[in-house]
């Protein structure tokens, strides 16, 4: 009879993976291995290995058990790669340790529901056919990632493709974007599984064909990395970016506001004639309508051809809301102009869901400046010495399609952040790697300014040309170059990859589900 009768008929589980506890542990470990592919570890080759382990456990499972398999995978991924939120909750949110641990556990368990739902859907599409499951798995993984990056403002973090800023698939990023890279990593893991199964059954020719097909992108991508998708100007723009390393504990303390401003002004004194001067997110920790004297001082000292860009909260009447509101903003002064209001706000850090219920319960729900309003869509870029500079504030740089869509007409990209919220964890280094992937996808230089690291200049290939290490006060100087034109990914965003995933689902899914 057809092998479609049972999911285990084509992929019988090894006794180790059939055991309830060892299989659960394997899924958690497989999820955790993905964290090791990202900065600061950079073991990108563990991506396909992780997928292989997931398939060894989950492919033979009955459909009704796939939800749990996905959830365990998610727990491994997010417990290892995203628990840096504990630092902002506990250390800077003035929240008791027990409550901080509980909130972190809820955070991880909640995020793990995304792969759980994806795996549940996977089981619905292919209840009994193992080969259909194998073909569908990369598509399911991608759709789970996409949903996680969109639903409830999204958490577009820990995408497997991001690991390849320094990996062999980097050359594909300007063509297919981070989701396309993730799709092929998942395909590679599935190919490893298929090739192993074929070898066990003495089907060596089939295994060789699968291996060759799986290797093609890994061989083509390095060649694509030499392609210049955008035209890079030969005329440099000089940059001076200030990393103040202001302790997070005093960042919003009124007694230290003057000291912070004096720090940044003092660091800038030797650089007033630089083309572009960058201060990080909320470097001026008072709203622009109260910072008149500071702004006047900046404009009086700037050179005739110089622009200073800084993070500064905005408070005023908003036509968008029909009242007075707060925005987390970035503004250009001097030989430049423009203001940008952050659109992608961080839950609890910049706004509080169910505010009327949660405000006042614990310190974490009353963080300073947690009452921002999202900025309007389709905001223009900043103008700097005749160049179009598209800014992104902190978390926004993690949204691949959002950044690609808003950068089409930009000459340069710029992002500011305050990763001090996450202390000496892997979070800020992951954030830097994400910014590098965005520069690679768009073929544009990116200037990254942070409070306590990592401040960096990233070129159009996603490589850092200059940086200041974390937790050091310093000034980063260097040059950036304008870019024109678009990469293929900027023209299409992730739609070709998502469309391919949907096509696979339509044509590979089981049309008729046999009765049990």
């Amino acid at each position: 009879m057809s092998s479609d009768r049972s999911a285990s008929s084509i992929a019988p589980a090894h006794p180790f993976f059939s055991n309830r506890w060892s299989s659960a542990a394997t899924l958690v470990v497989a999820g955790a291995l993905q964290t090791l592919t990202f900065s600061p570890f950079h073991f990108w080759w563990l991506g396909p290995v992780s997928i292989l382990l997931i398939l060894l456990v989950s492919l033979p499972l009955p459909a009704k058990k796939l939800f749990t398999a996905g959830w365990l995978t998610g727990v491994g991924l997010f417990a290892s790669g995203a628990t840096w939120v504990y630092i902002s909750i506990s250390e800077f949110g003035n929240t008791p340790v027990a409550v901080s641990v509980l909130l972190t556990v809820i955070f991880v368990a909640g995020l793990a529901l995304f792969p759980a739902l994806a795996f549940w859907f996977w089981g619905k599409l292919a209840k009994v056919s193992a080969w259909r499951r194998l073909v569908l798995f990369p598509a399911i993984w991608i759709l789970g990632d996409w949903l996680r990056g969109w639903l409830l403002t999204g958490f577009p973090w820990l995408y497997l493709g991001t690991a390849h800023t320094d990996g062999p698939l980097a050359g594909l990023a300007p063509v297919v974007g981070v989701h396309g890279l993730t799709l092929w990593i998942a395909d590679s893991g599935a190919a490893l599984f298929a090739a192993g199964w074929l070898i066990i059954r003495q089907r060596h020719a089939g295994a060789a064909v699968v291996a060759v097909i799986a290797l093609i992108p890994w061989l083509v991508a390095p060649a694509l990395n030499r392609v210049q998708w955008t035209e890079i100007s030969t005329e440099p723009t000089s940059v001076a970016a200030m990393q103040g390393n202001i302790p997070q504990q005093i960042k919003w303390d009124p007694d230290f506001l003057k000291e912070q401003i004096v720090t940044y002004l003092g660091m800038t004194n030797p650089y007033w004639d630089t083309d572009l001067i960058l201060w990080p997110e909320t470097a001026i920790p008072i709203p622009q309508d109260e910072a008149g004297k500071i702004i006047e001082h900046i404009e009086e000292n700037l050179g005739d051809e110089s622009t200073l860009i800084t993070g500064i909260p905005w408070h005023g009447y908003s036509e968008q809301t029909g009242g007075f509101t707060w925005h987390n903003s970035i503004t250009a002064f001097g030989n430049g102009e423009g203001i940008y209001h952050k659109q992608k706000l961080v839950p609890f850090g910049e706004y509080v869901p169910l505010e009327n219920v949660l405000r006042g319960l614990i310190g974490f729900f009353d963080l300073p400046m947690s009452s921002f309003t999202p900025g309007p869509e389709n905001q223009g870029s900043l103008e700097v010495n005749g160049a179009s500079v598209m800014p992104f504030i902190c978390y926004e740089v993690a949204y691949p399609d959002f950044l690609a869509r808003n950068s089409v007409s930009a000459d340069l990209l710029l992002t500011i952040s305050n990763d001090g919220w996450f202390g000496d964890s892997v979070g800020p280094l992951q954030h830097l790697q994400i910014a590098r992937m965005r520069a690679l996808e768009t073929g544009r230089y990116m200037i990254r300014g942070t409070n306590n690291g990592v401040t960096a200049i990233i070129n159009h290939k996603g490589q850092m040309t200059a940086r200041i290490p974390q937790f050091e006060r310093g000034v980063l100087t260097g040059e950036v170059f304008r870019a024109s034109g678009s990469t293929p990914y900027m023209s299409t965003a992730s739609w070709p990859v998502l469309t391919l995933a949907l096509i696979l689902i339509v044509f590979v899914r089981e049309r008729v589900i046999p009765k049990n």
Side-chain angles (χ1 to χ4, degrees):
M1 298 295 290
S2 170
S3 62
D4 284 3
R5 284 187 176 276
S6 169
S8 62
S9 60
I10 198 171
H14 187 278
F16 178 83
F17 300 122
S18 298
N19 178 272
R20 176 182 178 185
W21 298 108
S22 59
S23 62
T26 300
L27 289 170
V28 172
V29 169
L33 287 180
Q34 295 187 18
T35 294
L36 295 179
T37 68
F38 306 114
S39 185
F41 311 105
H42 300 290
F43 299 132
W44 54 263
W45 52 270
L46 286 174
V49 174
S50 168
I51 298 298
L52 174 61
L53 287 175
I54 293 168
L55 289 170
L56 284 170
V57 175
S58 59
L59 197 70
L61 289 176
K64 62 183 180 181
K65 293 187 177 181
L66 287 177
F67 180 91
T68 301
W71 187 80
L72 289 169
T73 303
V75 167
L77 173 61
F78 299 115
S80 61
T83 46
W84 33 258
V85 297
Y86 171 83
I87 296 173
S88 59
I89 297 172
S90 178
E91 294 187 21
F92 303 123
N94 299 316
T95 304
V97 171
V99 178
S100 299
V101 170
L102 176 61
L103 290 176
T104 303
V105 168
I106 293 173
F107 174 73
V108 169
L111 286 175
L113 290 175
F114 286 101
L117 288 170
F119 278 44
W120 171 83
F121 186 50
W122 186 34
K124 289 291 183 181
L125 293 172
K127 276 191 174 183
V128 296
S129 172
W131 77 264
R132 292 181 192 273
R133 281 194 187 177
L134 191 61
V135 174
L136 285 172
F137 182 81
I140 293 299
W141 189 274
I142 283 298
L143 291 177
D145 274 0
W146 176 81
L147 183 66
R148 173 162 59 86
W150 168 78
L151 190 63
L152 300 176
T153 73
F155 186 73
W157 214 270
L158 302 177
Y159 291 152
L160 269 174
T162 304
H164 282 263
T165 49
D166 298 302
L169 293 180
L172 286 171
V175 181
V176 297
V178 69
H179 287 314
L181 299 188
T182 301
L183 180 67
W184 199 256
I185 294 167
D187 278 334
S188 298
L192 284 174
F193 184 98
W197 177 83
L198 289 169
I199 290 172
I200 290 171
R201 282 154 180 78
Q202 303 298 312
R203 300 179 185 177
H204 299 291
V209 171
V210 170
V212 168
I213 294 173
L215 281 173
I216 289 174
W218 298 86
L219 298 175
V220 171
L224 287 176
N225 205 33
R226 293 191 289 271
V227 176
Q228 295 290 341
W229 299 104
T230 54
E231 184 176 346
I232 305 300
S233 169
T234 58
E235 181 180 351
T237 297
S238 60
V239 173
M242 285 62 195
Q243 182 170 292
N245 197 31
I246 306 296
Q248 191 62 34
Q249 292 88 343
I250 69 170
K251 175 70 178 174
W252 299 103
D253 190 331
D255 295 335
F256 292 94
L257 294 183
K258 181 178 179 180
E259 178 181 327
Q260 294 181 54
I261 300 301
V262 170
T263 294
Y264 278 105
L265 289 173
M267 295 173 70
T268 309
N269 274 336
Y271 303 98
W272 288 114
D273 291 322
T274 305
D275 292 337
L276 195 162
I277 301 165
L278 180 63
W279 293 4
E281 183 180 13
T282 59
I284 300 177
I286 54 177
Q288 98 293 339
D289 58 349
E290 298 177 15
K293 292 184 178 180
I294 300 170
I295 295 171
E296 288 177 9
H297 182 86
I298 290 171
E299 293 181 328
E300 288 172 359
N301 283 273
L302 278 170
D304 293 339
E305 303 298 323
S306 301
T307 302
L308 186 146
I309 297 176
T310 181
I312 178 172
W314 185 93
H315 180 251
Y317 182 82
S318 169
E319 294 183 359
Q320 176 189 2
T321 63
F324 282 85
T325 192
W326 289 86
H327 291 296
N328 186 357
S329 304
I330 185 170
T331 305
F333 302 106
N335 188 35
E337 62 180 2
I339 182 169
Y340 172 82
H341 303 310
K342 185 177 182 182
Q343 299 179 56
K344 302 287 189 180
L345 300 183
V346 179
F348 303 106
E350 293 174 317
Y351 78 98
V352 178
L354 303 174
E355 183 174 12
N356 294 335
V357 177
L358 297 178
R359 284 287 189 193
L361 290 180
I362 56 175
F364 181 61
F365 298 143
D366 296 292
L367 293 173
M369 307 307 291
S370 58
S371 298
F372 286 125
T373 298
E377 297 181 1
N378 302 318
Q379 297 180 63
S381 60
L382 306 179
E383 296 299 319
V384 177
N385 305 343
S388 173
V389 179
M390 193 65 213
F392 301 93
I393 300 177
C394 189
Y395 194 55
E396 290 184 316
V397 81
Y399 293 83
D401 289 357
F402 171 79
L403 188 139
R405 183 174 64 249
N406 285 281
S407 303
V408 171
S409 60
D411 300 314
L412 296 166
L413 304 182
L414 180 150
T415 181
I416 57 173
S417 185
N418 178 20
D419 288 346
W421 286 106
F422 308 110
D424 187 17
S425 70
V426 298
L429 299 178
Q430 292 171 351
H431 199 184
L432 170 64
Q433 188 176 32
I434 290 169
R436 293 176 57 203
M437 178 55 70
R438 300 293 89 84
L440 178 60
E441 290 169 335
T442 58
R444 279 160 169 74
Y445 271 73
M446 177 180 287
I447 311 162
R448 185 173 193 261
T450 67
N451 171 44
N452 67 347
V454 175
T455 296
I457 293 175
I458 305 167
N459 70 14
H460 62 298
K461 294 295 185 179
Q463 302 302 308
M464 290 182 287
T465 61
R467 62 180 291 177
I468 302 176
Q470 282 184 291
F471 313 117
E472 291 185 14
R473 178 170 294 178
V475 179
L476 177 70
T477 58
E479 295 178 337
V480 296
F481 298 85
R482 304 178 189 182
S484 58
S486 297
T487 64
Y489 173 68
M490 293 178 74
S491 301
T492 64
S494 297
W495 288 111
V497 175
L498 296 173
T499 301
L500 175 59
L502 292 173
I503 289 172
L504 282 172
I505 287 173
V506 170
F507 287 99
V508 178
R509 66 186 174 87
E510 293 172 354
R511 275 107 176 134
V512 178
I513 304 299
K515 294 181 179 180
N516 292 330

